Amino acid sequence: MGKFRDSVDGRALRFAIGFPLMLAAGFVVCAFLVKHDLPEPLAVRWTDAGAADFAPFAAVTSAGAALIVVVGWAVLLQAVPLSRPAMMRRIMMGAGFSMSLFMTTVLAAVLVGQLGLPDARESHVDATVLALGSGAALAMGFVMGMVFKADERWSIDDDRAIRQAVERERDPDLARDLASLWVHARSSIFVMLGIATLLPAALLSIAVPWLSAVLVAGALVAAAFLFARIRVDRGGLQVYAAGFVRVMNVPAAAIDAATAREVRAADYGGWGYRIHGSTTAMLVSSGPAVVVDRSDGRRLAVSSGSAAMADHMARTLSRVADRARRNGGTPVA
């Protein structure tokens, strides 16, 4: 429960829940005040031929109130999480406020268009109420977005940052034992991939749309796996294909040696994530890479983007591996 409170704006949450409920309650009360002037049943949908669909008063008011609440909650709650950018939270707060008022305006225009009529077949949506209410809803939403204070507050991420700063102060070498980077294939590879898949998919979309969609999806997956996120710290080496799929996790104590080399992807089975004999590779292109020899005899190769980064990663891995072995295989934070 504490984590939830730290991750949301309490005042915004209370408003996001309470405002649509109060608006829906006000709509229901006003509807009952004019019930004696409304026909029974009420018209709820009009067609070009002049006919209409009908529903009882209770069904119209209850469904309308539920719609106001659902639409309001769906948009306003997007402004509650503190992890989202302040500008996005302002926009969602204003949009949710405006949408709630607009839904109430539409429902009010439906009721006003039927006041004083003995038969709902003669009714219509009141254009004056709809126009005035829609304009007011838009203006009020804009004002709400401007006045809403989506200030960043102290969160668990700030606590983590403070702890890391204290650790760096106590251990000046901690920053030296950390390397993190993204690597990706050359732009020509993505162009070639697009020509090989997207152009045929465009032609197939005329005759076989589902096969075209499969080709596009395959191209996107292949392109994603030509990106990789690499992290080196005192725990060892972690490699994430497409930025989030962990394909390598080598503890520091399991590393015998790490060297910077110029490699050819073809020697390791090609681009992307490959297992070739006793070697596992995550190479987005030929060129600078780090080759890691494990204590169990296996070998890993990881693209590094540049020769300088390959040298930095190799030295960092060697240093954290030595530290882990000195501490009996347990990395020191």
PDB file of all heavy atoms in Angstrom, residues 125-162:
ATOM      1  N   VAL A 125     -32.553  16.533 -30.488  1.00  0.00           N
ATOM      2  CA  VAL A 125     -31.480  16.967 -29.589  1.00  0.00           C
ATOM      3  C   VAL A 125     -31.403  18.486 -29.627  1.00  0.00           C
ATOM      4  O   VAL A 125     -31.305  19.082 -30.699  1.00  0.00           O
ATOM      5  CB  VAL A 125     -30.130  16.352 -30.018  1.00  0.00           C
ATOM      6  CG1 VAL A 125     -28.998  16.877 -29.129  1.00  0.00           C
ATOM      7  CG2 VAL A 125     -30.188  14.829 -29.934  1.00  0.00           C
ATOM      8  N   ASP A 126     -31.499  19.123 -28.460  1.00  0.00           N
ATOM      9  CA  ASP A 126     -31.506  20.578 -28.413  1.00  0.00           C
ATOM     10  C   ASP A 126     -30.139  21.131 -28.817  1.00  0.00           C
ATOM     11  O   ASP A 126     -29.139  20.958 -28.105  1.00  0.00           O
ATOM     12  CB  ASP A 126     -31.870  21.050 -27.001  1.00  0.00           C
ATOM     13  CG  ASP A 126     -32.169  22.536 -26.968  1.00  0.00           C
ATOM     14  OD1 ASP A 126     -31.206  23.313 -26.987  1.00  0.00           O
ATOM     15  OD2 ASP A 126     -33.364  22.894 -26.924  1.00  0.00           O
ATOM     16  N   ALA A 127     -30.090  21.808 -29.969  1.00  0.00           N
ATOM     17  CA  ALA A 127     -28.814  22.296 -30.508  1.00  0.00           C
ATOM     18  C   ALA A 127     -28.223  23.412 -29.653  1.00  0.00           C
ATOM     19  O   ALA A 127     -26.998  23.534 -29.543  1.00  0.00           O
ATOM     20  CB  ALA A 127     -29.018  22.787 -31.942  1.00  0.00           C
ATOM     21  N   THR A 128     -29.074  24.237 -29.043  1.00  0.00           N
ATOM     22  CA  THR A 128     -28.561  25.343 -28.228  1.00  0.00           C
ATOM     23  C   THR A 128     -27.820  24.825 -26.998  1.00  0.00           C
ATOM     24  O   THR A 128     -26.710  25.272 -26.686  1.00  0.00           O
ATOM     25  CB  THR A 128     -29.709  26.260 -27.799  1.00  0.00           C
ATOM     26  OG1 THR A 128     -30.380  26.745 -28.966  1.00  0.00           O
ATOM     27  CG2 THR A 128     -29.197  27.425 -26.978  1.00  0.00           C
ATOM     28  N   VAL A 129     -28.438  23.881 -26.303  1.00  0.00           N
ATOM     29  CA  VAL A 129     -27.793  23.298 -25.128  1.00  0.00           C
ATOM     30  C   VAL A 129     -26.496  22.600 -25.520  1.00  0.00           C
ATOM     31  O   VAL A 129     -25.458  22.733 -24.845  1.00  0.00           O
ATOM     32  CB  VAL A 129     -28.756  22.311 -24.439  1.00  0.00           C
ATOM     33  CG1 VAL A 129     -28.033  21.546 -23.322  1.00  0.00           C
ATOM     34  CG2 VAL A 129     -29.960  23.047 -23.874  1.00  0.00           C
ATOM     35  N   LEU A 130     -26.545  21.864 -26.641  1.00  0.00           N
ATOM     36  CA  LEU A 130     -25.359  21.134 -27.073  1.00  0.00           C
ATOM     37  C   LEU A 130     -24.215  22.084 -27.425  1.00  0.00           C
ATOM     38  O   LEU A 130     -23.065  21.867 -27.030  1.00  0.00           O
ATOM     39  CB  LEU A 130     -25.713  20.264 -28.282  1.00  0.00           C
ATOM     40  CG  LEU A 130     -24.603  19.348 -28.798  1.00  0.00           C
ATOM     41  CD1 LEU A 130     -24.182  18.355 -27.721  1.00  0.00           C
ATOM     42  CD2 LEU A 130     -25.060  18.610 -30.053  1.00  0.00           C
ATOM     43  N   ALA A 131     -24.523  23.166 -28.143  1.00  0.00           N
ATOM     44  CA  ALA A 131     -23.479  24.100 -28.553  1.00  0.00           C
ATOM     45  C   ALA A 131     -22.888  24.844 -27.357  1.00  0.00           C
ATOM     46  O   ALA A 131     -21.658  24.953 -27.204  1.00  0.00           O
ATOM     47  CB  ALA A 131     -24.038  25.089 -29.574  1.00  0.00           C
ATOM     48  N   LEU A 132     -23.777  25.379 -26.500  1.00  0.00           N
ATOM     49  CA  LEU A 132     -23.289  26.126 -25.342  1.00  0.00           C
ATOM     50  C   LEU A 132     -22.517  25.232 -24.385  1.00  0.00           C
ATOM     51  O   LEU A 132     -21.448  25.601 -23.882  1.00  0.00           O
ATOM     52  CB  LEU A 132     -24.460  26.789 -24.623  1.00  0.00           C
ATOM     53  CG  LEU A 132     -25.183  27.916 -25.386  1.00  0.00           C
ATOM     54  CD1 LEU A 132     -26.392  28.391 -24.591  1.00  0.00           C
ATOM     55  CD2 LEU A 132     -24.225  29.070 -25.646  1.00  0.00           C
ATOM     56  N   GLY A 133     -23.052  24.041 -24.138  1.00  0.00           N
ATOM     57  CA  GLY A 133     -22.379  23.127 -23.212  1.00  0.00           C
ATOM     58  C   GLY A 133     -21.051  22.635 -23.738  1.00  0.00           C
ATOM     59  O   GLY A 133     -20.074  22.508 -22.987  1.00  0.00           O
ATOM     60  N   SER A 134     -20.979  22.359 -25.041  1.00  0.00           N
ATOM     61  CA  SER A 134     -19.727  21.883 -25.624  1.00  0.00           C
ATOM     62  C   SER A 134     -18.653  22.964 -25.552  1.00  0.00           C
ATOM     63  O   SER A 134     -17.488  22.685 -25.222  1.00  0.00           O
ATOM     64  CB  SER A 134     -19.941  21.466 -27.081  1.00  0.00           C
ATOM     65  OG  SER A 134     -20.873  20.411 -27.163  1.00  0.00           O
ATOM     66  N   GLY A 135     -19.038  24.195 -25.852  1.00  0.00           N
ATOM     67  CA  GLY A 135     -18.072  25.287 -25.747  1.00  0.00           C
ATOM     68  C   GLY A 135     -17.580  25.478 -24.331  1.00  0.00           C
ATOM     69  O   GLY A 135     -16.380  25.688 -24.099  1.00  0.00           O
ATOM     70  N   ALA A 136     -18.500  25.405 -23.379  1.00  0.00           N
ATOM     71  CA  ALA A 136     -18.097  25.552 -21.980  1.00  0.00           C
ATOM     72  C   ALA A 136     -17.199  24.402 -21.538  1.00  0.00           C
ATOM     73  O   ALA A 136     -16.224  24.607 -20.803  1.00  0.00           O
ATOM     74  CB  ALA A 136     -19.341  25.619 -21.095  1.00  0.00           C
ATOM     75  N   ALA A 137     -17.520  23.178 -22.000  1.00  0.00           N
ATOM     76  CA  ALA A 137     -16.705  22.017 -21.628  1.00  0.00           C
ATOM     77  C   ALA A 137     -15.279  22.164 -22.157  1.00  0.00           C
ATOM     78  O   ALA A 137     -14.304  21.884 -21.437  1.00  0.00           O
ATOM     79  CB  ALA A 137     -17.339  20.736 -22.173  1.00  0.00           C
ATOM     80  N   LEU A 138     -15.149  22.623 -23.396  1.00  0.00           N
ATOM     81  CA  LEU A 138     -13.817  22.799 -23.973  1.00  0.00           C
ATOM     82  C   LEU A 138     -13.032  23.878 -23.228  1.00  0.00           C
ATOM     83  O   LEU A 138     -11.853  23.700 -22.900  1.00  0.00           O
ATOM     84  CB  LEU A 138     -13.952  23.167 -25.449  1.00  0.00           C
ATOM     85  CG  LEU A 138     -12.649  23.351 -26.231  1.00  0.00           C
ATOM     86  CD1 LEU A 138     -11.851  22.050 -26.239  1.00  0.00           C
ATOM     87  CD2 LEU A 138     -12.941  23.808 -27.655  1.00  0.00           C
ATOM     88  N   ALA A 139     -13.698  25.001 -22.938  1.00  0.00           N
ATOM     89  CA  ALA A 139     -13.015  26.089 -22.240  1.00  0.00           C
ATOM     90  C   ALA A 139     -12.618  25.685 -20.828  1.00  0.00           C
ATOM     91  O   ALA A 139     -11.498  25.954 -20.377  1.00  0.00           O
ATOM     92  CB  ALA A 139     -13.923  27.321 -22.208  1.00  0.00           C
ATOM     93  N   MET A 140     -13.520  25.015 -20.112  1.00  0.00           N
ATOM     94  CA  MET A 140     -13.223  24.611 -18.747  1.00  0.00           C
ATOM     95  C   MET A 140     -12.112  23.565 -18.711  1.00  0.00           C
ATOM     96  O   MET A 140     -11.281  23.552 -17.798  1.00  0.00           O
ATOM     97  CB  MET A 140     -14.489  24.059 -18.087  1.00  0.00           C
ATOM     98  CG  MET A 140     -15.566  25.106 -17.845  1.00  0.00           C
ATOM     99  SD  MET A 140     -15.020  26.377 -16.669  1.00  0.00           S
ATOM    100  CE  MET A 140     -14.916  25.422 -15.168  1.00  0.00           C
ATOM    101  N   GLY A 141     -12.096  22.666 -19.712  1.00  0.00           N
ATOM    102  CA  GLY A 141     -11.016  21.681 -19.773  1.00  0.00           C
ATOM    103  C   GLY A 141      -9.670  22.346 -19.983  1.00  0.00           C
ATOM    104  O   GLY A 141      -8.661  21.944 -19.386  1.00  0.00           O
ATOM    105  N   PHE A 142      -9.646  23.369 -20.837  1.00  0.00           N
ATOM    106  CA  PHE A 142      -8.395  24.098 -21.067  1.00  0.00           C
ATOM    107  C   PHE A 142      -7.931  24.790 -19.786  1.00  0.00           C
ATOM    108  O   PHE A 142      -6.744  24.738 -19.432  1.00  0.00           O
ATOM    109  CB  PHE A 142      -8.601  25.124 -22.182  1.00  0.00           C
ATOM    110  CG  PHE A 142      -7.387  25.943 -22.492  1.00  0.00           C
ATOM    111  CD1 PHE A 142      -6.351  25.442 -23.256  1.00  0.00           C
ATOM    112  CD2 PHE A 142      -7.268  27.240 -21.991  1.00  0.00           C
ATOM    113  CE1 PHE A 142      -5.223  26.192 -23.530  1.00  0.00           C
ATOM    114  CE2 PHE A 142      -6.148  28.006 -22.260  1.00  0.00           C
ATOM    115  CZ  PHE A 142      -5.125  27.487 -23.032  1.00  0.00           C
ATOM    116  N   VAL A 143      -8.857  25.414 -19.084  1.00  0.00           N
ATOM    117  CA  VAL A 143      -8.508  26.095 -17.834  1.00  0.00           C
ATOM    118  C   VAL A 143      -7.998  25.091 -16.797  1.00  0.00           C
ATOM    119  O   VAL A 143      -6.988  25.331 -16.117  1.00  0.00           O
ATOM    120  CB  VAL A 143      -9.726  26.874 -17.296  1.00  0.00           C
ATOM    121  CG1 VAL A 143      -9.437  27.416 -15.898  1.00  0.00           C
ATOM    122  CG2 VAL A 143     -10.094  28.007 -18.238  1.00  0.00           C
ATOM    123  N   MET A 144      -8.667  23.940 -16.700  1.00  0.00           N
ATOM    124  CA  MET A 144      -8.244  22.929 -15.733  1.00  0.00           C
ATOM    125  C   MET A 144      -6.834  22.436 -16.039  1.00  0.00           C
ATOM    126  O   MET A 144      -6.000  22.265 -15.140  1.00  0.00           O
ATOM    127  CB  MET A 144      -9.218  21.756 -15.736  1.00  0.00           C
ATOM    128  CG  MET A 144      -8.798  20.582 -14.870  1.00  0.00           C
ATOM    129  SD  MET A 144      -8.540  20.998 -13.133  1.00  0.00           S
ATOM    130  CE  MET A 144     -10.234  21.148 -12.581  1.00  0.00           C
ATOM    131  N   GLY A 145      -6.540  22.203 -17.323  1.00  0.00           N
ATOM    132  CA  GLY A 145      -5.199  21.770 -17.694  1.00  0.00           C
ATOM    133  C   GLY A 145      -4.134  22.793 -17.354  1.00  0.00           C
ATOM    134  O   GLY A 145      -2.999  22.441 -17.020  1.00  0.00           O
ATOM    135  N   MET A 146      -4.492  24.086 -17.412  1.00  0.00           N
ATOM    136  CA  MET A 146      -3.526  25.132 -17.119  1.00  0.00           C
ATOM    137  C   MET A 146      -3.300  25.316 -15.620  1.00  0.00           C
ATOM    138  O   MET A 146      -2.186  25.609 -15.182  1.00  0.00           O
ATOM    139  CB  MET A 146      -3.978  26.451 -17.743  1.00  0.00           C
ATOM    140  CG  MET A 146      -4.036  26.445 -19.266  1.00  0.00           C
ATOM    141  SD  MET A 146      -2.430  26.164 -20.037  1.00  0.00           S
ATOM    142  CE  MET A 146      -1.580  27.679 -19.588  1.00  0.00           C
ATOM    143  N   VAL A 147      -4.349  25.141 -14.821  1.00  0.00           N
ATOM    144  CA  VAL A 147      -4.215  25.423 -13.391  1.00  0.00           C
ATOM    145  C   VAL A 147      -3.800  24.190 -12.590  1.00  0.00           C
ATOM    146  O   VAL A 147      -3.365  24.324 -11.443  1.00  0.00           O
ATOM    147  CB  VAL A 147      -5.531  25.992 -12.813  1.00  0.00           C
ATOM    148  CG1 VAL A 147      -5.934  27.257 -13.540  1.00  0.00           C
ATOM    149  CG2 VAL A 147      -6.660  24.964 -12.871  1.00  0.00           C
ATOM    150  N   PHE A 148      -3.922  23.008 -13.169  1.00  0.00           N
ATOM    151  CA  PHE A 148      -3.554  21.795 -12.438  1.00  0.00           C
ATOM    152  C   PHE A 148      -2.054  21.776 -12.187  1.00  0.00           C
ATOM    153  O   PHE A 148      -1.259  21.885 -13.106  1.00  0.00           O
ATOM    154  CB  PHE A 148      -3.981  20.558 -13.231  1.00  0.00           C
ATOM    155  CG  PHE A 148      -3.511  19.260 -12.639  1.00  0.00           C
ATOM    156  CD1 PHE A 148      -3.804  18.929 -11.328  1.00  0.00           C
ATOM    157  CD2 PHE A 148      -2.759  18.375 -13.404  1.00  0.00           C
ATOM    158  CE1 PHE A 148      -3.363  17.736 -10.780  1.00  0.00           C
ATOM    159  CE2 PHE A 148      -2.320  17.182 -12.866  1.00  0.00           C
ATOM    160  CZ  PHE A 148      -2.623  16.859 -11.556  1.00  0.00           C
ATOM    161  N   LYS A 149      -1.656  21.640 -10.929  1.00  0.00           N
ATOM    162  CA  LYS A 149      -0.246  21.645 -10.562  1.00  0.00           C
ATOM    163  C   LYS A 149       0.263  20.211 -10.536  1.00  0.00           C
ATOM    164  O   LYS A 149       0.096  19.493  -9.554  1.00  0.00           O
ATOM    165  CB  LYS A 149      -0.053  22.302  -9.192  1.00  0.00           C
ATOM    166  CG  LYS A 149      -0.361  23.796  -9.171  1.00  0.00           C
ATOM    167  CD  LYS A 149      -0.031  24.390  -7.820  1.00  0.00           C
ATOM    168  CE  LYS A 149       1.453  24.314  -7.527  1.00  0.00           C
ATOM    169  NZ  LYS A 149       1.806  24.959  -6.241  1.00  0.00           N
ATOM    170  N   ALA A 150       0.875  19.821 -11.647  1.00  0.00           N
ATOM    171  CA  ALA A 150       1.433  18.466 -11.752  1.00  0.00           C
ATOM    172  C   ALA A 150       2.897  18.481 -11.365  1.00  0.00           C
ATOM    173  O   ALA A 150       3.782  18.082 -12.121  1.00  0.00           O
ATOM    174  CB  ALA A 150       1.253  17.942 -13.175  1.00  0.00           C
ATOM    175  N   ASP A 151       3.182  18.970 -10.175  1.00  0.00           N
ATOM    176  CA  ASP A 151       4.566  19.087  -9.735  1.00  0.00           C
ATOM    177  C   ASP A 151       5.126  17.708  -9.398  1.00  0.00           C
ATOM    178  O   ASP A 151       4.418  16.842  -8.868  1.00  0.00           O
ATOM    179  CB  ASP A 151       4.673  19.978  -8.480  1.00  0.00           C
ATOM    180  CG  ASP A 151       4.198  21.394  -8.775  1.00  0.00           C
ATOM    181  OD1 ASP A 151       4.367  21.831  -9.917  1.00  0.00           O
ATOM    182  OD2 ASP A 151       3.661  22.041  -7.854  1.00  0.00           O
ATOM    183  N   GLU A 152       6.406  17.526  -9.689  1.00  0.00           N
ATOM    184  CA  GLU A 152       7.070  16.295  -9.312  1.00  0.00           C
ATOM    185  C   GLU A 152       7.244  16.258  -7.795  1.00  0.00           C
ATOM    186  O   GLU A 152       7.608  17.241  -7.174  1.00  0.00           O
ATOM    187  CB  GLU A 152       8.431  16.191 -10.004  1.00  0.00           C
ATOM    188  CG  GLU A 152       8.321  16.079 -11.518  1.00  0.00           C
ATOM    189  CD  GLU A 152       9.673  15.895 -12.163  1.00  0.00           C
ATOM    190  OE1 GLU A 152      10.668  15.802 -11.411  1.00  0.00           O
ATOM    191  OE2 GLU A 152       9.728  15.850 -13.397  1.00  0.00           O
ATOM    192  N   ARG A 153       6.995  15.095  -7.210  1.00  0.00           N
ATOM    193  CA  ARG A 153       7.109  14.955  -5.772  1.00  0.00           C
ATOM    194  C   ARG A 153       8.138  13.902  -5.433  1.00  0.00           C
ATOM    195  O   ARG A 153       8.564  13.122  -6.266  1.00  0.00           O
ATOM    196  CB  ARG A 153       5.737  14.567  -5.176  1.00  0.00           C
ATOM    197  CG  ARG A 153       4.674  15.611  -5.470  1.00  0.00           C
ATOM    198  CD  ARG A 153       3.388  15.276  -4.770  1.00  0.00           C
ATOM    199  NE  ARG A 153       2.360  16.250  -5.091  1.00  0.00           N
ATOM    200  CZ  ARG A 153       1.142  16.241  -4.576  1.00  0.00           C
ATOM    201  NH1 ARG A 153       0.804  15.303  -3.729  1.00  0.00           N
ATOM    202  NH2 ARG A 153       0.268  17.163  -4.916  1.00  0.00           N
ATOM    203  N   TRP A 154       8.531  13.895  -4.180  1.00  0.00           N
ATOM    204  CA  TRP A 154       9.515  12.925  -3.730  1.00  0.00           C
ATOM    205  C   TRP A 154       8.934  11.534  -3.864  1.00  0.00           C
ATOM    206  O   TRP A 154       7.819  11.260  -3.449  1.00  0.00           O
ATOM    207  CB  TRP A 154       9.887  13.191  -2.279  1.00  0.00           C
ATOM    208  CG  TRP A 154      11.156  12.504  -1.885  1.00  0.00           C
ATOM    209  CD1 TRP A 154      11.285  11.278  -1.343  1.00  0.00           C
ATOM    210  CD2 TRP A 154      12.477  13.029  -2.032  1.00  0.00           C
ATOM    211  NE1 TRP A 154      12.598  10.980  -1.140  1.00  0.00           N
ATOM    212  CE2 TRP A 154      13.358  12.031  -1.553  1.00  0.00           C
ATOM    213  CE3 TRP A 154      12.988  14.217  -2.521  1.00  0.00           C
ATOM    214  CZ2 TRP A 154      14.734  12.202  -1.537  1.00  0.00           C
ATOM    215  CZ3 TRP A 154      14.355  14.386  -2.515  1.00  0.00           C
ATOM    216  CH2 TRP A 154      15.214  13.391  -2.020  1.00  0.00           C
ATOM    217  N   SER A 155       9.688  10.647  -4.459  1.00  0.00           N
ATOM    218  CA  SER A 155       9.181   9.300  -4.710  1.00  0.00           C
ATOM    219  C   SER A 155      10.246   8.283  -4.355  1.00  0.00           C
ATOM    220  O   SER A 155      11.365   8.615  -3.937  1.00  0.00           O
ATOM    221  CB  SER A 155       8.780   9.148  -6.183  1.00  0.00           C
ATOM    222  OG  SER A 155       9.922   9.222  -7.011  1.00  0.00           O
ATOM    223  N   ILE A 156       9.929   7.030  -4.556  1.00  0.00           N
ATOM    224  CA  ILE A 156      10.868   5.952  -4.277  1.00  0.00           C
ATOM    225  C   ILE A 156      12.092   6.039  -5.184  1.00  0.00           C
ATOM    226  O   ILE A 156      13.194   5.642  -4.818  1.00  0.00           O
ATOM    227  CB  ILE A 156      10.157   4.586  -4.424  1.00  0.00           C
ATOM    228  CG1 ILE A 156      11.044   3.465  -3.885  1.00  0.00           C
ATOM    229  CG2 ILE A 156       9.764   4.337  -5.872  1.00  0.00           C
ATOM    230  CD1 ILE A 156      10.320   2.134  -3.795  1.00  0.00           C
ATOM    231  N   ASP A 157      11.903   6.609  -6.389  1.00  0.00           N
ATOM    232  CA  ASP A 157      13.043   6.787  -7.291  1.00  0.00           C
ATOM    233  C   ASP A 157      14.040   7.789  -6.721  1.00  0.00           C
ATOM    234  O   ASP A 157      15.253   7.638  -6.896  1.00  0.00           O
ATOM    235  CB  ASP A 157      12.565   7.256  -8.666  1.00  0.00           C
ATOM    236  CG  ASP A 157      11.755   6.197  -9.384  1.00  0.00           C
ATOM    237  OD1 ASP A 157      12.008   4.997  -9.122  1.00  0.00           O
ATOM    238  OD2 ASP A 157      10.870   6.548 -10.186  1.00  0.00           O
ATOM    239  N   ASP A 158      13.519   8.815  -6.042  1.00  0.00           N
ATOM    240  CA  ASP A 158      14.412   9.789  -5.414  1.00  0.00           C
ATOM    241  C   ASP A 158      15.194   9.143  -4.273  1.00  0.00           C
ATOM    242  O   ASP A 158      16.376   9.423  -4.085  1.00  0.00           O
ATOM    243  CB  ASP A 158      13.609  10.988  -4.899  1.00  0.00           C
ATOM    244  CG  ASP A 158      12.885  11.702  -6.019  1.00  0.00           C
ATOM    245  OD1 ASP A 158      13.562  12.153  -6.954  1.00  0.00           O
ATOM    246  OD2 ASP A 158      11.651  11.797  -5.968  1.00  0.00           O
ATOM    247  N   ASP A 159      14.532   8.276  -3.501  1.00  0.00           N
ATOM    248  CA  ASP A 159      15.236   7.560  -2.437  1.00  0.00           C
ATOM    249  C   ASP A 159      16.351   6.695  -3.016  1.00  0.00           C
ATOM    250  O   ASP A 159      17.455   6.620  -2.455  1.00  0.00           O
ATOM    251  CB  ASP A 159      14.253   6.678  -1.654  1.00  0.00           C
ATOM    252  CG  ASP A 159      13.276   7.497  -0.833  1.00  0.00           C
ATOM    253  OD1 ASP A 159      13.640   8.620  -0.438  1.00  0.00           O
ATOM    254  OD2 ASP A 159      12.150   7.020  -0.596  1.00  0.00           O
ATOM    255  N   ARG A 160      16.050   6.028  -4.124  1.00  0.00           N
ATOM    256  CA  ARG A 160      17.059   5.184  -4.758  1.00  0.00           C
ATOM    257  C   ARG A 160      18.239   6.027  -5.246  1.00  0.00           C
ATOM    258  O   ARG A 160      19.396   5.634  -5.108  1.00  0.00           O
ATOM    259  CB  ARG A 160      16.429   4.418  -5.922  1.00  0.00           C
ATOM    260  CG  ARG A 160      17.369   3.376  -6.535  1.00  0.00           C
ATOM    261  CD  ARG A 160      16.713   2.660  -7.703  1.00  0.00           C
ATOM    262  NE  ARG A 160      15.522   1.932  -7.262  1.00  0.00           N
ATOM    263  CZ  ARG A 160      14.286   2.245  -7.629  1.00  0.00           C
ATOM    264  NH1 ARG A 160      14.065   3.285  -8.426  1.00  0.00           N
ATOM    265  NH2 ARG A 160      13.263   1.547  -7.192  1.00  0.00           N
ATOM    266  N   ALA A 161      17.934   7.206  -5.814  1.00  0.00           N
ATOM    267  CA  ALA A 161      19.011   8.072  -6.295  1.00  0.00           C
ATOM    268  C   ALA A 161      19.890   8.552  -5.146  1.00  0.00           C
ATOM    269  O   ALA A 161      21.120   8.634  -5.286  1.00  0.00           O
ATOM    270  CB  ALA A 161      18.415   9.258  -7.046  1.00  0.00           C
ATOM    271  N   ILE A 162      19.263   8.855  -3.999  1.00  0.00           N
ATOM    272  CA  ILE A 162      20.036   9.292  -2.830  1.00  0.00           C
ATOM    273  C   ILE A 162      20.948   8.166  -2.350  1.00  0.00           C
ATOM    274  O   ILE A 162      22.129   8.385  -2.033  1.00  0.00           O
ATOM    275  CB  ILE A 162      19.086   9.743  -1.707  1.00  0.00           C
ATOM    276  CG1 ILE A 162      18.411  11.062  -2.074  1.00  0.00           C
ATOM    277  CG2 ILE A 162      19.848   9.882  -0.395  1.00  0.00           C
ATOM    278  CD1 ILE A 162      19.352  12.237  -2.171  1.00  0.00           C
TER     279      ILE A 162
END
